Amino acid sequence: IAGITQAPTSQILAAGRRMTLRCTQDMRHNAMYWYRQDLGLGLRLIHYSNTAGTTGKGEVPDGYSVSRANTDDFPLTLASAVPSQTSVYFCASSDGKGSPLHFGNGTRLTVT
Amino acid sequence: GENVEQHPSTLSVQEGDSAVIKCTYSDSASNYFPWYKQELGKGPQLIIDIRSNVGEKKDQRIAVTLNKTAKHFSLHITETQPEDSAVYFCAATFTGNQFYFGTGTSLTVIP
């Protein structure tokens, strides 16, 4: 079934540790995104990539980095996790401007 | 940047009644407005969308209306059913293909 695969499903991480959240899509979409979802704050954009080889910052990029080496993969890295990064992280993709987002099922991250 | 406000944050309706969720946006250049439904433990799923050149769109029990002058758009669900219970998000596109989301509405349909 075509779509977005995120891994891991959930993770408990000690503060200060490095963590990479994985995201892979098989729809050949050009654009990919990372959002975090927190209660009462909705979905906030962390980083995005309009096409392979390019990335951009969203609303809340601090403490996160991304790379887009190819069309299918868009990993999100927390270099040194902090408790405020406890959240549910969603990866999404889009076929282009004016096209809807397709979401993965999320990674629930707890930083202790 | 774009600001999207969504109301109400929670909504309870009796099965069979209608539900309405409203959103406002700040950027008059926004031109695409999708609505997403999120069930527990899953990612948001697109349920309906509307573009700025259209005032209303329907898909069975779901409809969306857009008022560009007032910069607001609304989701209407008629004949609600228990399986409609979920969190609903509105969104608006801003520069390029960046989506900005409302803070969500938790809808409960009471059998």
Side-chain angles (χ1 to χ4, degrees), chain A residues 31 33 35 37 40-43 45 48 50 57-59 90 94-106, chain B residues 2 31-32 34 36 38 41-46 49 51 87 89 93-104:
Chain A
Y33 308 80
Y35 287 87
Q37 185 175 32
L41 296 176
L43 292 152
L45 182 65
Y48 66 94
N50 285 330
K57 294 181 179 180
E59 300 172 78
F90 287 99
S94 169
D95 199 23
K97 191 174 182 179
S99 297
L101 294 176
H102 298 261
F103 284 88
N105 281 328
Chain B
E2 173 71 285
N31 58 7
Y32 176 62
Y36 289 85
Q38 185 178 26
K42 296 186 177 181
Q45 298 290 317
L46 178 74
D49 55 10
R51 301 185 189 278
V87 179
F89 290 96
T93 57
F94 188 47
T95 56
N97 198 27
Q98 294 184 43
F99 289 75
Y100 286 81
F101 286 82
T103 50

Side-chain angles (χ1 to χ4, degrees), chain A residues 25-97:
Chain A
Q25 55 112 351
D26 61 3
M27 297 174 283
R28 307 301 293 172
H29 285 170
N30 283 321
M32 296 188 75
Y33 308 80
W34 275 104
Y35 287 87
R36 61 177 289 174
Q37 185 175 32
D38 304 288
L39 194 63
L41 296 176
L43 292 152
R44 293 182 292 166
L45 182 65
I46 304 171
H47 285 286
Y48 66 94
S49 169
N50 285 330
T51 189
T54 69
T55 62
K57 294 181 179 180
E59 300 172 78
V60 288
D62 295 343
Y64 305 95
S65 63
V66 292
S67 61
R68 187 87 184 278
N70 57 60
T71 298
D72 299 341
D73 301 301
F74 191 43
L76 176 73
T77 297
L78 289 67
S80 180
V82 295
S84 63
Q85 292 178 310
T86 294
S87 186
V88 181
Y89 291 85
F90 287 99
C91 180
S93 71
S94 169
D95 199 23
K97 191 174 182 179

Side-chain angles (χ1 to χ4, degrees), chain B residues 2-3 5 7 10 12-14 18 30 38 49 53 55 58 62-63 70 87 90 94 97 104 107 109:
Chain B
E2 173 71 285
N3 182 45
E5 294 189 358
H7 299 281
T10 60
S12 292
V13 299
Q14 292 290 330
S18 296
S30 294
Q38 185 178 26
D49 55 10
N53 59 346
K58 290 183 180 180
I62 295 173
V87 179
C90 62
F94 188 47
N97 198 27
L107 173 66
V109 179

